[in-house]
Amino acid sequence: MTDILCPRCGILTTPAGHEDARAFYQCETCNRVWMTSIGSGTLAGGARAASRVLVVDDSDQLVGLVAAWLEDAGYLVSTATTGRVAMAAAVAERPDLVLLDLILPPPDGFALCRMLQAASVRPAVVVMTGIADPVRLRQLDGLGVFAILQKPLTQQVVLDAVGRAIYFGVMNSGR
């Protein structure tokens, strides 16, 4: 059986049970309990290939909340609060998906989408924004944006969008 590490602190976890094609794990260090799916998406030894997600927003609180939601769902998460840090992380970590706010310290989310398309890194992009102006949002056309989520966000909306974006990204890339 493959060792499962806590997505938050990296410590070896202990199995905490299973039910309905879901396995539960608990970290003895931080006391977190989370669930992963078992079944057709698993690798040899029962481990699931985790998708990498980069969460980018200028709000530390929102980044932390969304990162926790995604970690609890079994994703490998990295975060950034500026466009510059986000681009460096995208190049270094090659995420499968970037969950991106548009209003950021430079470069902003619009410029970051253009930079990601121009670079060899081409992750799926899900935009999370408070901008409701359709004319302004049209600037995202042709920049690889899979979905636009309007703030305030809910856990279910984020997880659904991320799951769909990664699924369709994998299907389109042939991975």
Side-chain angles (χ1 to χ4, degrees):
M1 174 121 176
T2 303
D3 293 334
I4 304 294
L5 303 178
C6 175
R8 176 149 299 153
C9 61
I11 303 298
L12 189 62
T13 62
T14 55
H18 64 281
E19 177 180 306
D20 298 328
R22 298 176 298 169
F24 296 87
Y25 296 93
Q26 180 171 12
C27 177
E28 301 297 327
T29 303
C30 67
N31 238 3
R32 280 176 70 105
V33 175
W34 71 95
M35 178 273 305
T36 62
S37 298
I38 31 182
S40 60
T42 59
L43 301 172
R48 187 170 61 137
S51 297
R52 295 176 312 273
V53 179
L54 173 61
V55 179
V56 186
D57 195 288
D58 59 337
S59 165
D60 289 333
Q61 293 81 14
L62 184 62
V63 165
L65 179 64
V66 171
W69 291 343
L70 294 169
E71 287 172 350
D72 287 348
Y75 294 99
L76 298 174
V77 180
S78 55
T79 62
T81 56
T82 70
R84 190 168 289 110
V85 172
M87 190 62 195
V91 169
E93 299 171 19
R94 305 188 65 76
D96 300 300
L97 174 103
V98 176
L99 196 55
L100 176 66
D101 186 18
L102 294 175
I103 308 302
L104 295 170
D108 68 11
F110 294 102
L112 195 55
C113 283
R114 286 189 290 277
M115 292 166 67
L116 288 168
Q117 284 298 303
S120 62
V121 181
R122 288 193 173 193
V125 176
V126 172
V127 168
M128 46 186 188
T129 185
I131 297 173
D133 179 7
V135 172
R136 189 136 184 240
L137 291 175
R138 253 184 251 126
Q139 295 175 33
L140 295 169
D141 290 349
L143 296 180
V145 174
F146 178 82
I148 299 172
L149 307 180
Q150 287 293 319
K151 293 179 181 177
L153 303 170
T154 66
Q155 182 177 10
Q156 194 59 51
V157 166
V158 170
L159 293 177
D160 287 349
V162 168
R164 282 192 319 274
I166 289 174
Y167 173 78
F168 285 108
V170 168
M171 294 302 290
N172 291 333
S173 71
R175 282 188 265 171

